[in-house]
Amino acid sequence: MSFRFLGTGAYVPETIVTNDALSKLVDTDDEWITQRVGVKRRHISKNQTAADMATEAAKRALENAGVLPAELDLILVATVSSETAAPSAACLVQRNIGAACMAFDISAACAGFLFALETANAYFMTRKIKKALVIGAERLSRLVNWSDRSTCVIFGDGAGAAVLGEGNAYLDSTFTVTGDDTVLRIPNYAGKSPYWEGKSEDPFIEMQGQATFKFAVQSMVRDIKLLLERNHLSTEDIACIVPHQANSRIIELAARKLGIPYERFVLNITEYGNTSAASVPIALDEAARKGILQKGDKFIMAGFGGGLASAANLMIWE
Ligand code: COA
């Protein structure tokens, strides 16, 4: 016994920031961002927290699934940008939608949604739960250094959610963690302890762009290959890949190395930028609603990022 998706939902804030708007903030231009990253616009929150956006995505997923909040046994929110450490974003979602179940957050950066699905799956396997709500939600605009042109053009805000019920759609998964704080790092607020003698840093995203790029391509190629080989599948057996939307060049290169047509990757980075843990579930919702995923289709979700952590899973759309 694993799970299957009963419904999906996504939410992005209304405010759109174009590349041209960003070029008024830092020394950049639409051409550079489009060519090097693949982003045209990103949605930026003016007054909604990560938990607020998670709540909106959750409501849409519940409606799509035809499931009531009272039926939920578990809520997981994958996030690195929740405004509060306590209560967790998951606890706030639980209150906001009127559920009464266990709820907690998962921190695995851009691979977070996949780590959360694996966690939920463990509960389904032990038959402890019948329905779960798994969300990826981020207000990365809170963690971006808006004067650093090499990072501020990449990220965006948003949330994606999925309602899970009992089923056998989660076929396989792979997870790799290599503890490293030199490639990608987001420090937390250090506090104001009179005893603290360590560093006090701004809580902004720090990234070695090229090292991150290499790690991303290598991880995605390795993880997808492994799932195909282990399950005796060829690339032709996979209807689509739902990848983390980090950079369209990362996806292009991975597609080429894997021998999978680029068109088979679900892509929306142009519209939303990199929304970290929210990026895979937003793309999943899009694939579901646009009918890219059809009953019986095998598909792979792949995520990678800070940790360094990467993950992929093989599923069937039921
Ligand atoms: N606009 C214009 N120029 C920019 C710029 C911007 N927004 N950001 C950086 N540049 C400049 C650099 O200053 C550098 O100039 P120089 O040659 O005069 O020194 C030049 O562009 C090339 O910089 P480089 O860092 O080598 O560019 P790149 O091709 O590696 O692209 C990234 C930079 C960040 C887009 C790319 O490395 C990347 O996408 N990495 C992965 C990021 C990612 O996926 N992060 C999330 C992981 S989950």
Side-chain angles (χ1 to χ4, degrees):
M1 165 73 68
S2 65
F3 67 83
R4 69 188 179 94
F5 288 129
L6 302 179
T8 60
Y11 176 83
V12 290
E14 260 173 38
T15 304
I16 293 173
V17 176
T18 61
N19 290 346
D20 286 339
L22 272 187
S23 69
K24 296 190 174 71
L25 214 59
V26 289
D27 182 14
T28 190
D29 55 70
D30 177 53
E31 194 185 344
W32 193 94
I33 305 172
T34 306
Q35 283 182 1
R36 296 292 183 107
V37 194
V39 184
K40 281 284 193 191
R41 294 167 286 280
R42 68 285 292 144
H43 293 241
I44 298 291
S45 172
K46 285 193 160 171
N47 50 22
Q48 290 174 300
T49 64
D52 292 336
M53 291 184 272
T55 301
E56 293 309 315
K59 286 179 183 168
R60 291 175 186 189
L62 285 165
E63 193 187 331
N64 183 240
V67 168
L68 296 171
E71 294 177 62
L72 294 172
D73 305 306
L74 173 70
I75 299 173
L76 299 177
V77 177
T79 184
V80 291
S81 56
S82 176
E83 274 73 3
T84 50
S88 65
C91 290
L92 292 174
V93 170
Q94 190 239 39
R95 177 198 62 189
N96 294 348
I97 62 172
C101 58
M102 173 164 61
F104 59 94
D105 285 0
I106 286 189
S107 172
C110 305
F113 184 71
L114 302 185
F115 278 70
L117 287 181
E118 178 81 359
T119 307
N121 185 51
Y123 283 96
F124 278 105
M125 281 175 75
T126 54
R127 296 182 190 266
K128 278 212 149 181
I129 63 170
K130 289 199 182 319
K131 288 194 175 67
L133 173 62
V134 179
I135 306 168
E138 303 284 10
R139 186 166 79 85
L140 293 179
S141 55
R142 188 170 82 76
L143 302 175
V144 160
N145 177 353
W146 287 97
S147 60
D148 174 10
R149 68 175 182 173
S150 66
T151 51
C152 77
V153 301
I154 294 176
F155 299 99
D157 299 333
V163 178
L164 281 47
E166 289 176 304
N168 292 300
Y170 193 67
L171 304 178
D172 197 2
S173 58
T174 174
F175 295 84
T176 307
V177 170
T178 311
D180 179 286
D181 63 357
T182 61
V183 174
L184 202 47
R185 183 168 177 270
I186 312 173
N188 275 329
Y189 169 60
K192 291 200 183 300
S193 163
Y195 303 105
W196 174 246
E197 292 175 352
K199 279 200 282 189
S200 288
E201 310 168 271
D202 285 327
F204 295 150
I205 297 169
E206 297 162 12
M207 188 180 74
Q208 298 300 324
Q210 292 187 5
T212 308
F213 194 101
K214 254 188 224 156
F215 154 75
V217 175
Q218 279 168 1
S219 310
M220 188 155 62
V221 170
R222 180 201 57 218
D223 292 351
I224 293 174
K225 264 192 182 160
L226 181 103
L227 289 179
L228 293 176
E229 279 165 23
R230 205 153 69 185
N231 292 280
H232 312 292
L233 296 170
S234 82
T235 54
E236 289 308 308
D237 298 318
I238 301 299
C240 71
I241 311 269
V242 184
H244 170 45
Q245 314 281 314
N247 181 320
S248 53
R249 283 190 300 135
I250 290 176
I251 298 170
E252 258 173 56
L253 196 53
R256 220 176 315 136
K257 284 177 184 274
L258 284 159
I260 299 177
Y262 186 54
E263 304 71 53
R264 237 185 280 158
F265 287 72
V266 178
L267 280 173
N268 60 21
I269 186 171
T270 313
E271 184 62 31
Y272 306 120
N274 176 345
T275 57
S276 191
S279 120
V280 171
I282 291 175
L284 176 72
D285 180 59
E286 206 165 300
R289 286 179 197 255
K290 283 186 175 164
I292 295 170
L293 282 166
Q294 295 288 328
K295 206 171 159 50
D297 278 351
K298 288 198 179 80
F299 67 105
I300 289 176
M301 290 186 263
F304 44 82
L308 299 168
S310 84
N313 62 43
L314 171 69
M315 290 197 61
I316 190 155
W317 189 254
E318 289 187 339

